Amino acid sequence: MSGPTLEQIAKGDGLALCAAGSWTARFAPALEQIVAEAEKLTGSRPNIFIDVSQVSKLDTFGAWLIERLRRTLTHGGIEAQIAGLSANYASLVGEVRRVEPAGPPAASESAILGVLDRIGRAIYGVGDTFFALIGMMGAVLTAWLRVFVRPSTFRLTSTVHHLQQVCWNAVPIVVLITFLIGCIVAQQGIFHFRKFGADVFVVDMLGLLVLRELGVLLVAIMVAGRSGSAYTAELGSMKMREEIDALRTMGFDPIEVLILPRMIALVIGLPILTFLGGMAALYGGGLVAWLYGGVDPEAFLSRLRDAISINHFLVGMIKAPVMALVIGIVACVEGLAVQGSAESLGQHTTSSVVKGIFLVIVMDGVFAIFFASIGI
Amino acid sequence: MVPGNSNPIISVNGLTVAFGQRHVLDGLDLDVSRGEILGFVGASGAGKSVLMRTIIGLVPKVSGNIEVFGIDLDAADSSERRGVERRWGILFQHGALFSSLSVRQNIQFPIREYLKVSDRLLDEITIAKLAMVGLKPEVAERFPSELSGGMIKRVALARALALDPEIVFLDEPTSGLDPIGAGEFDELVRTLQRTLGLTVFMVTHDLDSLHTACDRIAVLGDGKIIAQGTMDDMLASQHPWLREYFHGKRARAVLV
Ligand SMILES: Nc1ncnc2c1ncn2[C@@H]1O[C@H](COP(=O)(O)OP(=O)(O)OP(=O)(O)O)[C@@H](O)[C@H]1O
Ligand SMILES: [Mg+2]
């Protein structure tokens, strides 16, 4: 296959541009240069025409470049002509002749304005998020009340399925991580308390920290990363493929069918995981205290009994369902906000996890203030 | 063009494809000659899309041999494969546009990958391709989720044609197009075949397309090609399914 050429042949006061060779996509970079060169001839002669009879192969790239050359060469009211067009190629050139020249590119805005614009939208978006969360909370609550009134509409199978996904399948990783954290906290505690000869207080620290704060916080963060993101991705891809619209048109309420079972699974599952996580952390801590700190299990348990009251345990457990609610609501709002593209799905999944974790920590702070003020 | 041409551009021999225990294609033979428009029909679920996807290497085969441009893709190394992939264009049944890219970026994506040309030419070619499939330049800035079903088909076709390929595989290109659009589409395929010598492998249920655009028709049934030939051969066939297909109520309305 021979490359493309464009020869200039003077004919009287006119000029013939003789195209030859293969004017196809394969040679597009070369073609572009050839045509750019030839476009400089505009107006140099009163009569310029393009002869394509020698072209061996033509495709849309070639046809467009010839057409573009013709348009550029059209000058001073004299239209440049294309000569030697075979019947086959004429229809192709006819196709590209319909192309309107590209408009000027959109003016790009200044960088500072762009930044301000983004900050403005982000701040504005906080309000939107807040209202969306409240709205979803209300919708879930009314769906729950409806189910309460007519228990036959409750989707038990779906709820159990999600409970398995959220809770049962998460047990190994949650237990493992909290166990390790328990070990680390105990080791650090012993290491530093030993300087004051206060080794045994590590049990107080471990019990308080794990049961009140760390256990539930860790588990909630893990669940936000694990199940919150899954909820968002599931709902988001269902939204993308119009599955949610289909549900709605069949007379189902998506909140009732999709979201309520997920929320219930989360609200039941997170306290269970918190409990298991707390136990695993105490177990890990106890093990380290025994092997590394020399606090034997009997001493550990009796110390724990003195240091910890049932209130500490309850403080942790009460927080769990509330955090589950927050994680679930955020995940579902983000899932339903997904637009048509894969990128949007990714963005909303990310923001579901980020917002979920952020709100979990904020909630923890609010609880701390609350419990402090009622003196627990 | 007659089947059994000495120099087929696609040749499939004894192809068997199965999902689990279920054989979808079972010892299928098919030749497509250079420059023809092959219409491919068959009942829904017969395996037309599976055959197309197997030829382009997306579905693994159990046995058989497939050559495209005379190259066996199983034996080809990666640079040979890329060479082949640059020479074909594919329109998937559901469009398969990249949802996070705009229409313009979707069409330019394969061009950018294979050719070093200026942005100006890229934009012009994009608009030319859009015009060819009957879309206005404004559409270029939209995203796939903002398009109608028929527009998605057209953009997907524009993307399939982006590099001016030698073969295009079209899976139900005219479904979802209005009759005028479908007619223009048939005309476009014809034009491209005449001018570029394009070979078209077209899965379709559109009797109009089969009638006006296709040189040859192949029929898939029971995992094999049960008949192939021109429209007239199809009309003359005594095969019960073919009689039902080409002489049913809808067919009569089109073909009389
Ligand atoms: N990935 C897959 N796994 C299992 N089975 C599949 C898969 N893809 C396709 N099939 C099965 O193969 C068969 C053929 O499917 P195919 O999509 O090729 O049908 P088709 O002929 O294109 O139908 P239509 O005209 O409706 O598009 C169907 O029975 C389908 O269920
Ligand atoms: Mg199909």
Side-chain angles (χ1 to χ4, degrees):
Chain A
M1 220 183 294
S2 62
T5 55
L6 188 68
E7 226 179 312
Q8 303 172 15
I9 299 173
K11 283 188 179 159
D13 65 343
L15 183 69
L17 296 175
C18 294
S22 166
W23 283 57
T24 57
R26 261 189 66 188
F27 299 104
L31 278 175
E32 218 192 339
Q33 276 191 340
I34 293 176
V35 169
E37 277 303 310
E39 278 174 347
K40 291 181 190 149
L41 296 170
T42 309
S44 65
R45 301 280 183 117
N47 180 14
I48 303 183
F49 69 97
I50 309 164
D51 183 359
V52 295
S53 55
Q54 298 303 312
V55 172
S56 59
K57 226 170 158 216
L58 188 72
D59 67 6
T60 28
F61 280 78
W64 165 251
L65 284 169
I66 286 174
E67 169 65 13
R68 187 171 107 188
L69 181 58
R70 187 191 69 81
R71 287 186 194 180
T72 328
L73 292 176
T74 296
H75 175 80
I78 302 170
E79 187 146 349
Q81 297 294 330
I82 301 177
L85 208 54
S86 71
N88 268 353
Y89 293 155
S91 50
L92 188 61
V93 174
E95 288 281 346
V96 295
R97 189 158 288 191
R98 296 198 312 221
V99 175
E100 295 142 31
S108 57
E109 56 185 24
S110 81
I112 298 174
L113 271 182
V115 170
L116 287 179
D117 179 62
R118 241 169 313 158
I119 293 174
R121 278 176 205 279
I123 292 173
Y124 195 74
V126 171
D128 281 352
T129 309
F130 182 72
F131 286 118
L133 292 181
I134 301 286
M136 177 61 79
M137 191 98 91
V140 169
L141 203 65
T142 45
W144 188 68
L145 287 178
R146 265 203 309 275
V147 166
F148 210 73
V149 176
R150 285 187 304 150
S152 62
T153 57
F154 179 60
R155 293 176 189 269
L156 183 65
T157 322
S158 169
T159 309
V160 172
H161 167 78
H162 288 297
L163 198 55
Q164 179 183 4
Q165 299 285 325
V166 168
C167 183
W168 181 244
N169 292 350
V171 167
I173 186 68
V174 165
V175 166
L176 178 66
I177 291 181
T178 46
F179 172 82
L180 291 176
I181 295 286
C183 294
I184 294 165
V185 168
Q187 189 272 336
Q188 286 292 309
I190 291 165
F191 184 76
H192 291 282
F193 286 176
R194 184 171 282 163
K195 293 176 196 158
F196 317 106
D199 303 27
V200 81
F201 282 103
V202 76
V203 182
D204 299 53
M205 183 183 81
L206 191 69
L208 268 176
L209 206 55
V210 163
L211 293 184
R212 268 191 90 116
E213 298 294 335
L214 213 53
V216 64
L217 207 55
L218 265 177
V219 172
I221 288 173
M222 268 188 277
V223 167
R226 198 179 167 279
S227 305
S229 61
Y231 282 6
T232 306
E234 285 165 14
L235 293 173
S237 64
M238 290 179 84
K239 173 102 190 293
M240 268 163 79
R241 291 199 253 152
E242 301 176 330
E243 289 173 44
I244 290 178
D245 298 338
L247 267 179
R248 205 167 269 146
T249 54
M250 291 176 201
F252 293 102
D253 178 11
I255 306 277
E256 206 174 299
V257 177
L258 298 174
I259 293 180
L260 195 60
R262 287 180 163 81
M263 294 298 301
I264 291 177
L266 211 52
V267 170
I268 296 176
L270 190 57
I272 298 177
L273 289 175
T274 304
F275 176 77
L276 293 176
M279 293 307 117
L282 286 183
Y283 186 78
L287 220 53
V288 169
W290 185 22
L291 300 177
Y292 175 78
V295 183
D296 63 78
E298 214 165 311
F300 183 87
L301 281 179
S302 75
R303 182 77 210 163
L304 195 62
R305 216 170 281 136
D306 292 343
I308 302 297
S309 72
I310 187 76
N311 276 347
H312 292 123
F313 173 71
L314 284 182
V315 164
M317 292 308 283
I318 286 169
K319 287 195 263 188
V322 179
M323 294 192 170
L325 208 63
V326 169
I327 293 170
I329 297 277
V330 169
C332 294
V333 166
E334 292 294 332
L336 294 186
V338 168
Q339 303 293 316
S341 73
E343 195 183 356
S344 148
L345 181 62
Q347 272 169 3
H348 283 286
T349 308
T350 308
S351 93
S352 157
V353 174
V354 172
K355 283 181 190 163
I357 292 176
F358 172 73
L359 286 178
V360 158
I361 291 172
V362 169
M363 284 312 285
D364 198 50
V366 172
F367 270 115
I369 296 169
F370 172 71
F371 286 126
S373 62
I374 63 169
I376 303 181
Chain B
M1 298 188 198
V2 262
N5 189 312
S6 57
N7 180 21
I9 194 166
I10 303 172
S11 101
V12 179
N13 284 310
L15 178 67
T16 300
V17 174
F19 294 105
Q21 289 302 308
R22 211 157 43 86
H23 284 237
V24 177
L25 303 178
D26 197 0
L28 179 142
D29 299 310
L30 176 72
D31 280 346
V32 182
S33 16
R34 194 174 278 278
E36 78 170 337
I37 301 180
L38 175 72
F40 205 74
V41 300
S44 216
K48 302 180 295 297
S49 301
V50 168
L51 173 62
M52 192 183 107
R53 294 169 66 89
T54 312
I55 295 176
I56 56 190
L58 293 176
V59 174
K61 54 183 188 279
V62 176
S63 65
N65 173 315
I66 298 173
E67 284 185 8
V68 183
F69 304 113
I71 296 170
D72 182 354
L73 288 177
D74 288 332
D77 59 27
S78 64
S79 69
E80 253 179 323
R81 251 203 93 84
R82 268 176 75 85
V84 170
E85 280 161 359
R86 187 212 166 296
R87 291 162 71 188
W88 70 32
I90 290 137
L91 168 67
F92 287 95
Q93 188 163 7
H94 303 289
L97 295 178
F98 304 122
S99 59
S100 45
L101 302 183
S102 68
V103 167
R104 172 200 305 278
Q105 291 165 326
N106 259 286
I107 296 175
Q108 292 179 354
F109 189 79
I111 311 181
R112 272 183 204 284
E113 188 62 25
Y114 287 104
L115 299 176
K116 295 244 171 313
V117 294
S118 69
D119 283 352
R120 171 173 173 210
L121 183 61
L122 273 178
D123 286 346
E124 288 166 349
I125 290 289
T126 308
I127 292 172
K129 300 280 174 188
L130 283 176
M132 282 170 97
V133 296
L135 290 174
K136 299 227 158 59
E138 298 95 86
V139 178
E141 299 314 322
R142 291 199 212 159
F143 282 86
S145 57
E146 300 163 352
L147 301 177
S148 78
M151 287 160 91
I152 289 178
K153 274 273 149 72
R154 289 168 192 251
V155 173
L157 178 67
R159 188 181 68 180
L161 294 174
L163 279 166
D164 280 307
E166 291 166 50
I167 308 180
V168 280
F169 293 89
L170 308 174
D171 199 347
E172 305 199 9
T174 51
S175 70
L177 295 190
D178 60 89
I180 302 175
E184 283 171 0
F185 174 84
D186 292 339
E187 197 48 47
L188 172 68
V189 171
R190 274 272 174 216
T191 305
L192 293 176
Q193 181 212 23
R194 265 200 315 274
T195 51
L196 309 180
L198 191 67
T199 308
V200 182
F201 181 101
M202 172 158 62
V203 174
T204 185
H205 291 301
D206 185 341
L207 285 159
D208 272 317
S209 285
L210 286 172
H211 197 58
T212 52
C214 297
D215 298 314
R216 194 159 68 89
I217 296 168
V219 185
L220 184 67
D222 301 326
K224 293 188 182 63
I225 303 290
I226 52 178
Q228 49 185 319
T230 61
M231 192 68 186
D232 293 334
D233 298 341
M234 294 298 125
L235 290 172
S237 166
Q238 291 305 311
H239 192 285
W241 192 83
L242 286 180
R243 284 196 65 77
E244 181 71 21
Y245 195 98
F246 289 103
H247 295 279
K249 245 199 213 117
R250 304 189 60 148
R252 273 204 300 279
V254 171
L255 299 175
V256 284

